[in-house]
Amino acid sequence: QVQLVESGGGSIQTGGSLRLSCAASGRTFGINYAAWFRQAPGKEREFVAAINWSGALTHYADFVNGRFTISKDNAKNTVYLQMNSLKPEDTAVYLCAAGGGWWNVRTTQGAYAYWGQGTQVTVSS
């Protein structure tokens, strides 16, 4: 089993920045990649960004448009999401996920066996 614990969410004004953290523990040797998804009220969960477990590969949703950066501290088994130039439409619960499948399915929720509880990000105008 793998445990994922997110932190770093909060309330911020438009244009501000937040850094989310996702600490992984347990049997992490089977993980191939991790990702951030988000879910806004009344909307479906959507992919935000993914990183392979070595940190060498990253992938972003189109709406990120250079505003977010996903990274990983291998020594701490922690994945980060640096979010800049935040907009009200970025308001959502952000969830960390980890999976052991192929990199080519990284944007698919079903590729992830492990999920954190989520952290709320609220951006006000």
Side-chain angles (χ1 to χ4, degrees), residues 71-106:
S71 62
K72 183 176 179 288
D73 185 326
N74 291 331
K76 296 181 179 180
N77 268 350
T78 299
V79 177
Y80 302 99
L81 185 68
Q82 177 67 44
M83 303 187 295
N84 300 325
S85 302
L86 283 162
K87 307 173 184 179
E89 50 264 44
D90 293 317
T91 295
V93 174
Y94 283 70
L95 302 106
C96 178
W102 295 101
W103 176 247
N104 63 352
V105 295
R106 59 196 177 274

Side-chain angles (χ1 to χ4, degrees), residues 31-113:
I31 297 176
N32 286 341
Y33 44 80
W36 289 95
F37 287 76
R38 69 184 188 182
Q39 187 163 19
K43 295 188 177 181
E44 293 188 354
R45 189 174 296 180
E46 63 179 348
F47 169 81
V48 178
I51 188 167
N52 74 334
W53 205 238
S54 71
L57 299 175
T58 59
H59 179 73
Y60 297 92
D62 289 342
F63 67 78
V64 169
N65 200 22
R67 300 181 298 128
F68 299 174
T69 302
I70 190 169
S71 62
K72 183 176 179 288
D73 185 326
N74 291 331
K76 296 181 179 180
N77 268 350
T78 299
V79 177
Y80 302 99
L81 185 68
Q82 177 67 44
M83 303 187 295
N84 300 325
S85 302
L86 283 162
K87 307 173 184 179
E89 50 264 44
D90 293 317
T91 295
V93 174
Y94 283 70
L95 302 106
C96 178
W102 295 101
W103 176 247
N104 63 352
V105 295
R106 59 196 177 274
T107 65
T108 307
Q109 293 184 53
Y112 296 88

